[in-house]
Amino acid sequence: MTGWTAVVPVKPWGLAKSRLDLPDDDRMRLARAFSLDVLDVVLAAAAVDRVVVVTAEAELGAIARRRGAAVLTDRPMLARGLLNRAVDAGRQWAKINAAGAPIVVVPGDLAALNAGVLDATLGLLAQEERAFVPDASGMGTTLLAAARPRLLIPAYGERSAMHHSDAGYRAVPQVDKRCRRDVDTAADLAEARALGVGPHTIAALEQMTSAIREGRDRMRMPAG
């Protein structure tokens, strides 16, 4: 099964990654980098024919449109339940534009994901009518997939892996770790870096490191 529709829901960068213990500017910089890397991945994946970005982040929407993705303007995702509404908006778009094609939700914080890993994972998900990839903890969900849009009913949020299993989705944990490592905490980020993050994230981390180094150098300078 090929010709997937990929739905990418993304919070406004200023509201994202609140569990990362970082200054607001750095947290926003990383959220931006994660989502741009994921956008690159879904656009490059051979198995993906259509990309739908659902976001209230204007800059991301403009970038995605320029690159040929469909963009749905969403209200800011201030609560977990609104993530499911954003996914459902993408599903409704797919029901109109690709009703017979498989659909997958690709969260915008899979910092270590690449196109080859996504293609391989979609090959496994295609073997089931409805399936999901548990996150690295086994309790959450990264990718959520269905053979047709009408079958995709998201239940992201606390213990979403259990909720998706209870709803009849088949768990597919035997995938590359890069497809299971979403980033919410500093420990998650360290694991993603060890797996290998995308170019936008590399650049953001280098910029953060450079800023820290410059700050330390200024502190060491003798008073004039």
Side-chain angles (χ1 to χ4, degrees), residues 65-168:
R65 285 190 185 94
R66 285 198 300 269
R67 300 194 58 192
V71 176
L72 304 178
T73 302
D74 184 55
R75 71 177 66 187
M77 284 183 258
L78 298 172
R80 289 183 181 272
L82 295 182
L83 171 58
N84 291 316
R85 293 188 191 182
V87 171
D88 194 62
R91 180 182 78 94
Q92 296 296 338
W93 183 95
K95 283 176 65 176
I96 295 169
N97 293 278
I103 185 170
V104 61
V105 182
V106 184
D109 62 351
L110 295 175
L113 188 64
N114 64 44
V117 169
L118 179 57
D119 279 331
T121 304
L122 292 178
L124 293 173
L125 295 174
Q127 299 173 27
E128 307 291 340
E129 188 172 59
R130 294 192 297 168
F132 72 97
V133 175
D135 69 5
S137 74
M139 299 174 65
T141 302
T142 60
L143 271 59
L144 183 70
R148 293 174 298 284
R150 67 176 182 82
L151 299 174
L152 187 80
I153 308 298
Y156 283 99
E158 188 174 357
R159 297 186 179 274
S160 63
M162 179 186 69
H163 294 310
H164 285 132
S165 290
D166 289 348

Side-chain angles (χ1 to χ4, degrees), residues 39 43 51 53-74:
L39 178 63
L43 288 170
V51 176
V53 176
V54 187
T55 188
E57 179 57 60
E59 183 185 351
L60 177 62
I63 292 169
R65 285 190 185 94
R66 285 198 300 269
R67 300 194 58 192
V71 176
L72 304 178
T73 302
D74 184 55

Side-chain angles (χ1 to χ4, degrees), residues 148-199:
R148 293 174 298 284
R150 67 176 182 82
L151 299 174
L152 187 80
I153 308 298
Y156 283 99
E158 188 174 357
R159 297 186 179 274
S160 63
M162 179 186 69
H163 294 310
H164 285 132
S165 290
D166 289 348
Y169 289 85
R170 177 68 60 86
V172 181
Q174 65 275 19
V175 301
D176 192 293
K177 291 180 180 178
R178 289 169 287 186
C179 200
R180 298 185 65 180
R181 180 67 282 161
D182 52 353
V183 177
D184 289 316
T185 67
D188 298 341
L189 180 58
E191 289 184 25
R193 294 181 74 175
L195 292 168
V197 294

